Amino acid sequence: MYATILFLHNLIRWGVLLGGLYAITKSALGLIHKREYTSKENMAHTLFVAFCHAQLLLGIILYMVSPRVDQALANGFGAAMKNADDRFLVLEHIMTMVIGVAFIQIGRTLSKKATDAMAKHKKSLIFFSIGLLLILSRIPWQNSPLFRH
């Protein structure tokens, strides 16, 4: 079960990254060129949010079944906070991802509620960018000892 969830989590991250870049680009171009908010932007935003929610759900499940999290917490939460790798795994990664996805969801909600096309583009651009930057800041990149193959 752990290996399957980890595989899916690693696969869907590409949907989050590519979907985020696409949605942000669509919003930026819409704002720069003063374009109407079309069904293409709506679909890009919907897919980005869907990938984020799926990734977050898988991450939470992974967190609960991960032997690495169990190992990091074996000596208690306080001990995990004293070790940079354990702290990243147990706290920083998951909390930053939750906050990033929250920003993305807030941006989606605010852009849907906006009545003006420029407001839709602006709100989604700002909140999606903040959310994606937060996510990018806590991905265990290849040179990290926490990188998963």
Side-chain angles (χ1 to χ4, degrees):
M1 179 169 137
Y2 172 75
T4 302
I5 296 169
L6 182 60
F7 172 78
L8 292 172
H9 192 65
N10 286 332
L11 182 66
I12 292 177
R13 71 177 163 188
W14 298 109
V16 171
L17 292 173
L18 295 174
L21 292 174
Y22 183 64
I24 289 167
T25 301
K26 294 290 282 178
S27 294
L29 291 174
L31 194 59
I32 292 167
H33 298 295
K34 299 185 183 351
R35 294 181 184 157
E36 286 300 313
Y37 186 87
T38 67
S39 61
K40 288 183 182 181
E41 282 86 9
N42 188 50
M43 181 57 69
H45 296 174
T46 301
L47 287 174
F48 179 40
V49 171
F51 277 122
C52 288
H53 284 211
Q55 184 71 336
L56 183 60
L57 178 62
L58 286 170
I60 290 169
I61 294 169
L62 194 58
Y63 187 86
M64 288 188 264
V65 300
S66 173
R68 295 188 65 205
V69 171
D70 289 344
Q71 181 184 13
L73 292 172
N75 295 323
F77 191 77
M81 294 302 102
K82 293 176 184 171
N83 178 294
D85 292 339
D86 290 347
R87 183 178 56 246
F88 179 87
L89 178 68
V90 170
L91 181 69
E92 294 172 5
H93 177 72
I94 193 164
M95 290 308 300
T96 305
M97 297 303 172
V98 167
I99 294 166
V101 172
F103 267 97
I104 291 162
Q105 182 60 57
I106 290 166
R108 177 68 174 140
T109 302
L110 293 176
S111 70
K112 282 177 69 172
K113 289 183 177 184
T115 55
D116 173 60
M118 293 305 104
K120 288 178 182 282
H121 291 305
K122 186 176 182 180
K123 289 175 191 292
S124 58
L125 176 62
I126 292 168
F127 283 91
F128 288 1
S129 296
I130 292 169
L132 189 59
L133 284 173
L134 285 168
I135 288 169
L136 291 173
S137 78
R138 290 294 164 243
I139 291 175
W141 298 102
Q142 191 166 7
N143 62 352
S144 167
L146 298 172
F147 180 72
R148 295 181 229 136
H149 303 268

